[in-house]
């Protein structure tokens, strides 16, 4: 009987102090950027932070001319990918498009004329899969978007 009592007490102590917790961190857009296990989940004497819900606030530009727009469609693409953009400033104008496969091999590099507002990339000869479209802007900024080929 003493052994049973000792086992119950040890089991209770083990479960009380050895529980782990999982910690999540999110970026501003709500995407999960970290998931990890906190090994020491003992109760500390420090007060816990209160979590408060904040009302989302809309970001509204003063004028719509301040925001560049870059649109590509359809995604997933079958034959041709349409690219369109509006740029209020010269630095926001796309300069070069590069298409890469998942191995990092560059498949296409096409330069854009400054007065152009649209472009078409031909995907007919490429197999189905995921491709990275790198957009280089005149101002030096580079962005990468994923394109799915059916």
């Amino acid at each position: 009987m003493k052994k049973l009592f000792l086992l119950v007490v040890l089991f209770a102590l083990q479960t009380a102090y050895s529980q782990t917790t999982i910690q999540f961190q999110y970026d501003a857009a709500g995407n999960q950027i970290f998931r990890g296990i906190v090994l020491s989940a003992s109760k500390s004497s420090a007060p816990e932070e209160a979590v408060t819900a904040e009302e989302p606030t809309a970001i509204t530009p003063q004028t719509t001319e301040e925001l560049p727009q870059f649109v590509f469609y359809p995604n997933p693409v079958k034959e041709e990918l349409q690219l369109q953009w509006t740029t209020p400033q010269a630095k926001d104008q796309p300069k070069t498009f590069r298409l890469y496969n998942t191995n990092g091999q560059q498949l296409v590099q096409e330069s854009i004329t400054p007065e152009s507002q649209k472009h078409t990339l031909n995907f007919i000869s490429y197999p189905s899969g995921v491709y990275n479209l790198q957009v280089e802007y005149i101002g030096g900024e580079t962005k990468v978007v994923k394109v799915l080929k059916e």
Side-chain angles (χ1 to χ4, degrees):
M1 186 68 172
K2 288 182 183 181
K3 287 183 182 180
L4 180 62
F5 179 72
L6 182 61
L7 285 175
V8 169
V9 170
L10 287 175
F11 179 74
L13 288 174
Q14 176 68 21
T15 58
Y17 288 107
S18 68
Q19 291 188 9
T20 58
T21 58
I22 299 175
Q23 179 183 13
F24 297 97
Q25 292 177 355
Y26 300 92
D27 63 5
N31 300 316
Q32 182 179 334
I33 58 173
F34 176 77
R35 181 174 96 184
I37 296 175
V38 180
L39 297 176
S40 61
S42 61
K43 296 178 182 164
S44 63
S45 59
E48 294 183 19
E49 291 183 25
V51 178
T52 58
E54 297 178 6
E55 282 293 318
T57 57
I59 299 173
T60 55
Q62 292 180 357
T63 64
T64 56
E65 295 174 359
E66 294 176 6
L67 295 178
Q69 288 187 341
F70 180 77
V71 180
F72 59 102
Y73 61 89
N75 195 9
V77 63
K78 290 184 180 179
E79 296 177 1
E80 292 181 338
L81 182 69
Q82 303 295 323
L83 309 165
Q84 292 182 334
W85 57 89
T86 58
T87 56
Q89 299 177 7
K91 69 178 181 80
D92 296 325
Q93 174 76 23
K95 177 173 76 170
T96 307
F97 293 111
R98 292 183 184 92
L99 186 66
Y100 295 92
N101 63 12
T102 53
N103 295 329
Q105 179 185 13
Q106 182 176 322
L107 304 174
V108 173
Q109 177 175 335
E110 296 185 12
S111 298
I112 308 301
T113 59
E115 55 278 343
S116 174
Q117 297 266 322
K118 64 163 93 172
H119 190 73
T120 302
L121 286 176
N122 192 345
F123 272 78
I124 292 175
S125 61
Y126 302 129
S128 298
V130 178
Y131 295 87
N132 291 320
L133 176 65
Q134 181 183 37
V135 183
E136 184 180 343
Y137 294 91
I138 291 175
E141 185 179 359
T142 301
K143 292 187 179 179
V144 177
V145 292
K146 290 193 187 292
V147 178
L148 183 65
K149 165 73 162 76
E150 288 185 336

